Amino acid sequence: MPDDQPHEPSEITYAEHFHPARPRSLRHRARVKAPFTRRRSASTDGEPVGANPIYVSWLLGQSMLADANEISRQFSGQATMWQNPFANPSPRIAVEAAPVWFTAYPLSFITRPGESFLAALADEALWEAFATIGIHAVHTGPVKRAGGITGWRTTPSVDGHFDRMSTEIDPAFGTEAEYRAMVGMATWFGGTVIDDIVPGHTGKGADFRLAEMNYGDYPGIYHMIEIEPEDWVILPEVPPGHDSVNIDPSTEEQLEKAGYIIGRLQRVIFYAEGIKETNWSATAPVVGADGLERRWVYLHYFKDGQPSINWLDPSFAGMRLVIGDALHSLADLGAGALRLDANGFLGVEKSAEGLPGWSEGHPLSEAANHLIGSMVRKLGGFTFQELNLTIDDIRATAQTGADLSYDFVNRPAYHHALATGDTEFLRLTLRTSLELGVDPASLVHALQNHDELTYELVHWSTGHRDDVYTFRGRAVTGAELADTVRRDLCERLTGPAAAYNLIFTTNGIACTTATVIAATLGLADLDAVDDEARARIMRVHLLLAMFNALQPGVFALSGWDLCGMLTLHPSEVATLLEHGDTRWIHRSAHDLMGVAPDATRSPAGIPRGRSLYGPLPEQLADETSFARQLQAILAVRDRYGIPTGSQVDVPDVPDPGLLVLVHELPDPEQLHLSVLNFSDRPISTSVTSAHLPPGAEVTDMFTERRVATVDAGHGVPVVLEPHQGHALLVRRPEAGRA
């Protein structure tokens, strides 16, 4: 609003009544003394080679390490760095500050003509809609410059802007001023902005180019090894137009035997024959700042444009780069939290002869995460990690590292329950997490995000592959269990009957929540989805929202969920699919606020997908819409303190389609019961748990109507329609008499 227009208080709204302003963190938020100013060299004279000092200076002006060194100096010796506890993660403090998140994806966000992504996220009407629904935080996704540099020119991102190469905001998404305006609007509504750092790798930007030139500390940023000229014969030739090439397993073995690298690792993420067969690539010859020509072999867990950061180089250059980036996001731009991407791959070590290198569950990853999490807590923020490893690894890193962890364990399991109409595997994952000490309140329970429906099931397929479990009435190993679940998901969610969902390498399935549901419901043609099918999809979508929202921890959902987006036809994103990354079909562009009804693409060029539910303003005007029904779910979640409760039981169920979760609420006299029907059949039965006290009064948390009394056998009668859920409040008998 204009500065000269005074604010007039309004009457209390429905959202304010059911969703009071979120508690501010009690921590002091450290801030820069002055906005960070970068040094930039505009001169581009001469050849872009290391022997040209103008080129080196130009690269230094864009270096993340140089920026980190500058911004870090503002905090050294300052009292602001000693105002907050930092040693231990504080999941419930993080959940209290931001219990429901909207996860944005910049490339798919449709804005007004000429409006940037960040300006759109600073829109007051958007935050009013979020407040009405009960959303308290926005995870922006990666918005800083990503990709690489070749010569004097920049090259595009190879992984959806997760190959960061600068601390600058990418002009494609907006400006730093717009970012700060977004933070200000979030603060006005009692919300939080969540940014990203990538502690595992960078793009091939200025820092990597300076490392190839053997300039200063820069080679210490990465896991890169200089190969002696006499051994270049081992290395493959780099094809014209490329700056590196992936080495094959035989070359990997030769380099290991020659003492250069540690060799093969525990797995090859994004494996593709002839494209990525190992985790190592060799560079073309590069002229250094000293005039010498060098070739390097470097590690990349992900794509070749994402060289891995070395957290234990004696220069600690990689650590300085990452911490500086975090300082910039939190203390300069004003974010309140950070997502840690690829933070489970920060340590790598040679193993015994013949065994793969130790690269997952490494204690250095835990130590590095402890450092990052502690620094962010020192600054007054919190972190969450997307760690697709074993439950043991999640527990270990959560003990000292990030405050929250993405729920990669139960996410494929609840999709499996929906696809099969049987919750057995979901009950197994929930129980295993509890038994191994992972508190659901420390997890981010999500619907769709930018990634595929991950089904690697790492806990069972790797760390516990030889453990024996009981599944479907027989004993199976963890590896067999993971194979069975993956096969079930592929058979039921992809193939001729659901050709609109595609398998993504060995990682999972490219799909939206709506198209997972469509496949489950037997809808073969998305073009034939009519109002009746739309209503069926919405019903199941709300069931999945209830599963994720009505348990302790953070609940997260995306614009694809809020709008009910369908996948794109592969022909619409054919260029993006050329290298096998099928995830682009589920990243359809969507117009969350209905600001550009005629737009056919997002500003980034992603084709607009079909929305089943429509934009938020239309939904909020319709009491039967997805957004309004989601609002009711989140109001119950908020009113009874479910986010900070404790999960105490995942009991056996009398019907395979049922899932029952028992939670202790912050009020010691109350228990919460989630009863969910994942099947397409009506169910009438009784659910039991030893935690339910006989004689306790049971009420419907949505209607506040008394529905039952816990019987002498600790049971509660329930009646559910297909794909329906109940949220039940159990008051202990003493509380009922009072």
Side-chain angles (χ1 to χ4, degrees):
M1 70 179 60
D3 292 338
D4 58 351
Q5 180 178 337
H7 173 70
E8 294 182 4
S10 60
E11 293 183 356
I12 190 166
T13 65
Y14 179 91
E16 290 169 328
H17 177 69
F18 285 108
H19 304 290
R22 304 311 309 166
R24 302 290 203 279
S25 171
L26 297 178
R27 293 172 176 154
H28 173 85
R29 293 287 296 279
R31 289 283 180 258
V32 291
K33 291 179 287 186
F36 170 54
T37 303
R38 298 174 183 80
R39 315 135 324 282
R40 290 290 180 261
S41 172
S43 178
T44 56
D45 296 333
E47 289 294 313
V49 294
N52 179 1
I54 294 176
Y55 183 56
V56 173
S57 177
W58 182 77
L59 290 174
L60 285 169
Q62 301 177 75
S63 157
M64 293 180 71
L65 179 59
D67 287 351
N69 292 337
E70 288 289 328
I71 195 170
S72 298
R73 294 190 186 104
Q74 291 206 38
F75 295 91
S76 298
Q78 297 299 308
T80 56
M81 295 302 294
W82 297 100
Q83 305 304 310
N84 301 306
F86 61 85
N88 298 313
S90 303
R92 280 178 168 77
I93 290 178
V95 171
E96 285 177 357
V100 180
W101 300 355
F102 170 75
T103 57
Y105 191 66
L107 299 178
S108 300
F109 207 88
I110 292 177
T111 65
R112 296 175 179 86
E115 181 182 50
S116 73
F117 166 73
L118 292 175
L121 282 188
D123 181 45
E124 185 173 3
L126 174 64
W127 280 93
E128 286 178 348
F130 284 164
T132 299
I133 295 168
I135 296 170
H136 315 105
V138 166
H139 175 212
T140 62
V143 294
K144 294 183 180 179
R145 284 185 181 270
I149 291 176
T150 298
W152 296 107
R153 65 183 179 85
T154 59
T155 55
S157 169
V158 298
D159 189 27
H161 269 69
F162 287 99
D163 47 343
R164 179 167 295 173
M165 67 169 182
S166 173
T167 56
E168 282 188 311
I169 298 295
D170 192 318
F173 303 136
T175 65
E176 288 196 358
E178 289 171 333
Y179 192 107
R180 293 188 175 92
M182 172 185 63
V183 170
M185 188 60 68
T187 303
W188 177 261
F189 281 90
T192 302
V193 170
I194 304 170
D195 202 346
D196 290 75
I197 62 168
V198 187
H201 52 254
T202 71
K204 286 186 175 179
D207 297 274
F208 185 74
R209 297 308 177 200
L210 288 164
E212 287 182 312
M213 296 174 186
N214 200 39
Y215 184 88
D217 290 345
Y218 285 84
I221 296 174
Y222 302 102
H223 285 284
M224 58 191 305
I225 300 93
E226 182 181 351
I227 307 300
E228 296 297 330
E230 59 266 26
D231 290 326
W232 287 9
V233 292
I234 302 175
L235 303 178
E237 293 293 322
V238 177
H242 293 75
D243 59 10
S244 65
V245 62
N246 191 247
I247 65 174
D248 60 26
S250 63
T251 304
E252 180 183 57
E253 184 178 2
Q254 282 184 280
L255 289 170
E256 179 189 8
K257 289 180 177 178
Y260 283 113
I261 64 176
I262 66 171
R264 66 189 176 97
L265 303 186
Q266 288 164 277
R267 58 175 167 152
V268 179
I269 300 172
F270 296 166
Y271 176 88
E273 188 174 354
I275 298 173
K276 188 190 177 188
E277 298 182 345
T278 71
N279 294 299
W280 303 91
S281 283
T283 70
V286 180
V287 176
D290 54 5
L292 298 179
E293 196 173 50
R294 296 176 175 83
R295 290 194 73 182
W296 309 80
V297 170
Y298 68 93
L299 174 69
H300 54 95
Y301 285 104
F302 299 97
K303 298 181 180 180
D304 65 351
Q306 297 167 287
S308 294
I309 291 175
N310 184 354
W311 274 81
L312 206 56
D313 183 82
S315 70
F316 292 99
M319 181 188 299
R320 286 187 281 138
L321 180 151
V322 172
I323 296 299
D325 193 26
L327 286 167
H328 175 244
S329 290
L330 293 163
D332 192 358
L333 295 180
L338 295 175
R339 169 187 179 268
L340 309 182
D341 179 66
N343 68 314
F345 308 98
L346 306 185
V348 59
E349 181 178 341
K350 189 173 180 62
S351 296
E353 189 69 30
L355 295 177
W358 185 9
S359 57
E360 298 184 15
H362 195 284
L364 178 57
S365 284
E366 297 174 26
N369 279 285
H370 192 181
L371 285 169
I372 298 168
S374 293
M375 178 60 73
V376 173
R377 287 188 287 272
K378 263 197 155 193
L379 293 165
F382 67 84
T383 55
F384 84 99
Q385 60 185 3
E386 289 200 13
L387 192 63
N388 187 21
L389 295 178
T390 67
I391 299 172
D392 315 85
D393 293 324
I394 294 171
R395 181 195 62 230
T397 57
Q399 287 174 343
T400 55
D403 299 280
L404 301 166
S405 301
Y406 198 87
D407 188 356
F408 275 118
V409 177
N410 297 307
R411 187 165 179 252
Y414 77 73
H415 283 96
H416 183 263
L418 179 66
T420 62
D422 188 334
T423 65
E424 183 179 6
F425 181 61
L426 177 55
R427 283 178 275 123
L428 174 62
T429 63
L430 288 161
R431 289 169 178 169
T432 305
S433 295
L434 284 177
E435 290 166 2
L436 293 179
V438 174
D439 182 359
S442 70
L443 299 178
V444 178
H445 310 285
L447 291 172
Q448 186 184 350
N449 71 352
H450 65 279
D451 272 330
E452 73 283 357
L453 162 54
T454 303
Y455 61 23
E456 292 168 295
L457 302 169
V458 177
H459 182 82
W460 288 272
S461 62
T462 60
H464 295 263
R465 64 176 293 108
D466 297 321
D467 292 0
V468 177
Y469 301 87
T470 300
F471 185 66
R472 293 177 178 168
R474 66 186 187 91
V476 297
T477 64
E480 291 170 335
L481 176 62
D483 286 343
T484 298
V485 172
R486 281 193 292 267
R487 185 168 56 251
D488 287 345
L489 289 170
C490 289
E491 288 177 354
R492 296 167 190 264
L493 301 182
T494 66
Y500 41 78
N501 297 327
L502 298 176
I503 292 174
F504 171 61
T505 65
T506 58
N507 290 51
I509 298 172
C511 54
T512 68
T513 305
T515 62
V516 166
I517 298 167
T520 300
L521 296 176
L523 303 174
D525 183 3
L526 294 183
D527 291 335
V529 173
D530 55 15
D531 287 344
E532 186 271 337
R534 170 185 167 278
R536 294 173 66 202
I537 290 172
M538 184 191 300
R539 181 184 184 86
V540 182
H541 209 154
L542 289 165
L543 173 77
L544 300 185
M546 289 182 72
F547 165 74
N548 286 286
L550 297 182
Q551 60 176 306
V554 167
F555 169 55
L557 76 168
S558 64
W560 297 297
D561 289 305
L562 285 172
C563 293
M565 299 303 298
L566 303 179
T567 50
L568 297 167
H569 191 278
S571 63
E572 297 180 87
V573 284
T575 302
L576 293 170
L577 301 185
E578 285 178 352
H579 298 292
D581 194 341
T582 56
R583 293 175 296 178
W584 291 106
I585 68 164
H586 71 238
R587 293 169 175 166
S588 54
H590 47 281
D591 186 355
L592 192 64
M593 293 299 288
V595 295
D598 297 327
T600 58
R601 293 178 177 269
S602 70
I606 304 298
R608 185 178 192 137
R610 181 183 173 189
S611 167
L612 297 182
Y613 308 152
L616 291 184
E618 290 182 11
Q619 291 193 56
L620 292 177
D622 177 4
E623 293 299 324
T624 66
S625 69
F626 178 81
R628 280 296 187 186
Q629 294 184 72
L630 177 66
Q631 177 189 29
I633 295 170
L634 298 182
V636 163
R637 166 184 166 90
D638 197 33
R639 189 181 310 135
Y640 293 98
I642 293 173
T644 53
S646 297
Q647 194 167 96
V648 294
D649 195 16
V650 184
D652 290 334
V653 290
D655 187 291
L658 272 181
L659 177 73
V660 179
L661 303 176
V662 183
H663 303 124
E664 290 182 346
L665 297 176
D667 183 336
E669 301 301 331
Q670 296 180 339
L671 294 169
H672 162 238
L673 208 59
S674 273
V675 184
L676 308 171
N677 181 4
F678 279 82
S679 77
D680 59 1
R681 300 172 287 100
I683 296 176
S684 178
T685 187
S686 179
V687 299
T688 61
S689 169
H691 291 267
L692 302 179
E697 177 186 279
V698 182
T699 59
D700 186 307
M701 297 170 86
F702 290 99
T703 65
E704 300 185 356
R705 180 175 59 87
R706 182 170 178 167
V707 294
T709 300
V710 179
D711 63 30
H714 305 276
V716 176
V718 293
V719 177
L720 299 104
E721 296 177 12
H723 297 130
Q724 185 184 28
H726 290 324
L728 303 177
L729 182 68
V730 180
R731 293 186 176 90
R732 300 186 191 278
E734 295 80 5
R737 286 196 298 269

